Amino acid sequence: MSYVAIEADERMEEGPEGLQFQSFLSTDARPTNQGPNSSRGFISDGPKNSGFWTLDYYQPYFDVDTKTVIRRCYTTLLPRSAHYLSAHLTPSADLYGPFWTLTTLIFALFVCSSLASSIASYLSDPADSSAAVVLEYDFGLLSTAVALVYSYGLGVPVLLWLALRYLGVGEWSVVEAVAVWGYGQFVWIPTALLCVITIPILRWVAVGIAFFISGWFLAANVYPVLATADAKPVRLIIILLAVLHAGVALSLKILFFSYYVVKETGPKDPLP
């Protein structure tokens, strides 16, 4: 019987120390679908590749707690809200607060305007018992409030964002623009409550203060974005926004709080 000599592979003689294991995994094994919620310590459940026509796309912008919304509302009344984006809209802006702020303003305008009308009617003729018990609602004012508030609170920031994108200014997102405009209208809610008082000068003062507070807030947060444009004339947009804001404030006063106490002059009408 003959044997064939086989040369041993030197690599096999090196023993287990010669074996090397190589990982074929990526060096970064972190989840790749982290969204705006990742900075708050958890990963969003929804798919991040959803289109803008799906609800999953907008879900992260409504993921905010009530305490945060309240804080973002009342901080718009503070004089030191110039850096609102970086100081209060972190880690990300939301759409939940602006939507409910504008919706609450609509109902506040409608209810307070109806109440102011009834009070003015009663004080004009206290002897009329029907005026004391009947509270009339003008639902046409509700439609006007919906059109005016949503057009200004949602339409204007979207149009401004589109215009700035066209002009090459991309310092903020459309969500941040809507958030600034929506939260900036919060001051009109307490103003609507104050305008129930039937003193004309007090109503004008309340509207004037609200115009100044909300106008300064918007200008302080919008002008730095306009200032980043290469073309200097872009900054003049702030003048157009100021005129538009003044028109909205005047419209709110005239359309919803122009009820005055009217005292009857001369002899009473003998006809019922």
Side-chain angles (χ1 to χ4, degrees):
M1 182 180 293
S2 60
Y3 297 92
V4 179
I6 300 177
E7 297 182 358
D9 193 347
E10 296 180 355
R11 292 175 297 178
M12 299 297 297
E13 296 179 355
E14 293 179 0
E17 294 77 2
L19 298 178
Q20 296 181 357
F21 296 92
Q22 182 179 1
S23 174
F24 294 94
L25 298 176
S26 175
T27 56
D28 188 2
R30 294 174 296 178
T32 58
N33 61 340
Q34 292 183 352
N37 297 325
S38 60
S39 59
R40 288 196 278 171
F42 61 92
I43 301 173
S44 178
D45 298 328
K48 295 307 170 187
N49 295 327
S50 304
F52 67 90
W53 58 87
T54 62
L55 294 178
D56 292 332
Y57 181 85
Y58 299 96
Q59 187 271 338
Y61 302 118
F62 289 85
D63 184 15
V64 62
D65 55 90
T66 305
K67 184 181 296 186
T68 302
V69 172
I70 294 176
R71 176 176 54 83
R72 291 178 175 181
C73 284
Y74 75 77
T75 48
T76 61
L77 306 178
L78 303 178
R80 302 188 330 185
S81 299
H83 304 287
Y84 188 78
L85 288 173
S86 59
H88 302 291
L89 291 184
T90 54
S92 61
D94 69 284
L95 295 176
Y96 178 84
F99 171 76
W100 282 111
T101 299
L102 297 176
T103 304
T104 304
L105 174 59
I106 290 173
F107 283 97
L109 290 173
F110 174 66
V111 173
C112 294
S113 177
S114 301
L115 185 59
S117 175
S118 299
I119 293 176
S121 177
Y122 170 73
L123 294 179
S124 297
D125 189 8
D128 187 2
S129 59
S130 62
V133 296
V134 176
L135 183 61
E136 298 181 355
Y137 293 97
D138 185 1
F139 288 96
L141 286 178
L142 181 60
S143 302
T144 303
V146 170
L148 180 61
V149 173
Y150 280 153
S151 297
Y152 183 66
L154 298 178
V156 170
V158 172
L159 292 177
L160 177 62
W161 176 79
L162 291 174
L164 293 181
R165 293 283 292 182
Y166 177 78
L167 295 173
V169 181
E171 291 295 325
W172 63 350
S173 65
V174 63
V175 177
E176 291 175 338
V178 172
V180 168
W181 239 267
Y183 281 119
Q185 310 312 311
F186 173 75
V187 66
W188 293 106
I189 298 178
T191 302
L193 297 176
L194 291 176
C195 286
V196 174
I197 302 174
T198 58
I199 303 177
I201 187 62
L202 181 60
R203 289 177 176 175
W204 282 107
V205 171
V207 171
I209 294 176
F211 163 74
F212 175 78
I213 293 177
S214 57
W216 184 89
F217 171 80
L218 293 176
N221 288 278
V222 173
Y223 185 77
V225 179
L226 301 178
T228 60
D230 295 333
K232 301 301 182 182
V234 176
R235 302 181 182 185
L236 298 178
I237 295 179
I238 197 66
I239 300 178
L240 178 62
L241 295 177
V243 173
L244 179 61
H245 187 68
V248 171
L250 190 61
S251 299
L252 293 176
K253 171 62 180 68
I254 295 176
L255 292 175
F256 298 98
F257 301 105
S258 293
Y259 303 103
Y260 302 99
V261 177
V262 179
K263 295 183 178 180
E264 186 177 8
T265 58
K268 188 175 182 180
D269 190 353
L271 299 178

